Amino acid sequence: MTIAATPRIWTAALVVIGDEILSGRTQDKNVAQIAAWLNVQGIRLAEVRVVADKTDAIVEAVNILRARNDYLFTTGGIGPTHDDITVDAIAEALGVAVVHHPRALAVLNRYYETRGGLTEARKRMARVPDGADLIENRMSGAPGIRIGNIFVMAGVPHITAGMLDALTGTLEGGLPVLSRTIGCWVAESEVSDILREAERSHDGVAIGSYPFFREGRVGANFVVRATDQVLVDGCVGALTDTLVASGWVVTEGGI
């Protein structure tokens, strides 16, 4: 008898860097867009850590998360000001020097040629850990950085999106995770056994339950995920049948 091999699951972690995120002054929007992008690449975002603009905190997070995931992304802290310390922290984590990347200098020089020139502050955005490659940035000139399994990206969401676009198709991954959502006006505690049994009886499927309170009553949306659409559809069908048989009205697509 041949036993099918368990599919390789590729994972990534994200370190969101910035005092402004932790203080609440800025709301992070990168987690959702990076998670969605990674899924299309066949990579699962396994964990996220938010750290302050402190070298020790960044070094610790980088070294822990890069070791237990296939890829590590960081956002924030690569601008031209004195408190943009991400490059220095990652270089420290890797035990390498910080250098000016010649291609980054050329890109920035072209970008700022009609914008006041390449000042010393702007040259900071060409600094990279020694041995790094660049991630193209068509939005604002300053490139992102790729070194080993680490991808250092801007904190501004639309610039991050452009860097992700430049990386599309360049990372090794597995099958993208597919999903379908159904919803019911029901307290999730009342159907927890049904959800557990549906997940147990459908190998390769994960079911997420997301309760809410609206219009004066409780409900929940159930998201069925797998890397095979047949598995997703089969589980959704079985779960729907069981919920309906138990007296609940099921809404396809969620409530």
Side-chain angles (χ1 to χ4, degrees):
M1 180 179 66
T2 301
I3 299 175
T6 302
R8 166 85 151 87
I9 297 175
W10 297 79
T11 66
L14 170 63
V15 179
V16 179
I17 300 167
D19 293 338
E20 70 279 5
I21 302 294
L22 290 167
S23 70
R25 291 193 302 271
T26 301
Q27 291 186 338
D28 179 80
K29 297 180 180 178
N30 281 322
V31 174
Q33 75 164 340
I34 290 174
W37 179 85
L38 284 168
N39 181 52
V40 174
Q41 312 307 306
I43 302 164
R44 300 184 189 181
L45 182 60
E47 49 191 323
V48 178
R49 186 178 295 196
V50 183
V51 301
D53 293 308
K54 295 182 179 178
T55 299
D56 290 348
I58 299 170
V59 169
E60 178 187 52
V62 165
N63 279 332
I64 290 173
L65 297 180
R66 73 185 176 97
R68 67 185 182 206
N69 292 279
D70 297 295
Y71 304 108
L72 172 63
F73 289 75
T74 74
T75 58
I78 61 171
T81 60
H82 70 283
D83 58 345
D84 288 310
I85 61 171
T86 297
V87 170
D88 301 87
I90 289 177
E92 182 172 325
L94 298 177
V96 299
V98 175
V99 298
H100 283 93
H101 196 292
R103 186 155 56 88
L105 284 172
V107 168
L108 290 167
N109 190 54
R110 287 195 302 271
Y111 183 82
Y112 285 110
E113 189 173 9
T114 58
R115 297 175 173 87
L118 187 58
T119 63
E120 286 302 313
R122 289 167 173 172
K123 283 177 67 176
R124 282 180 56 84
M125 294 184 288
R127 297 167 74 250
V128 303
D130 194 14
D133 294 321
L134 303 181
I135 303 171
E136 185 179 5
N137 170 17
R138 301 184 186 95
M139 303 300 295
S140 64
I145 300 164
R146 176 177 185 171
I147 181 165
N149 69 336
I150 303 173
F151 300 82
V152 185
M153 312 183 83
V156 180
H158 75 275
I159 298 178
T160 306
M163 291 181 178
L164 291 173
D165 185 59
L167 286 173
T168 296
T170 66
L171 276 62
E172 188 173 3
L175 296 172
V177 177
L178 309 172
S179 67
R180 276 180 62 187
T181 302
I182 58 175
C184 288
W185 289 104
V186 61
E188 65 173 352
S189 60
E190 296 185 45
V191 295
S192 59
D193 289 342
I194 293 174
L195 299 175
R196 188 180 302 110
E197 175 59 25
E199 187 174 82
R200 186 197 65 79
S201 60
H202 292 81
D203 288 340
V205 170
I207 302 175
S209 178
Y210 304 95
F212 57 82
F213 181 80
R214 298 181 204 153
E215 303 172 18
R217 53 183 177 155
V218 296
N221 287 316
F222 311 118
V223 182
V224 178
R225 300 182 178 93
T227 57
D228 186 323
Q229 191 66 54
V230 172
L231 291 178
V232 172
D233 294 342
C235 184
V236 168
L239 179 57
T240 298
D241 289 345
T242 304
L243 289 168
V244 170
S246 301
W248 308 108
V249 176
V250 174
T251 301
E252 175 68 33
I255 299 172

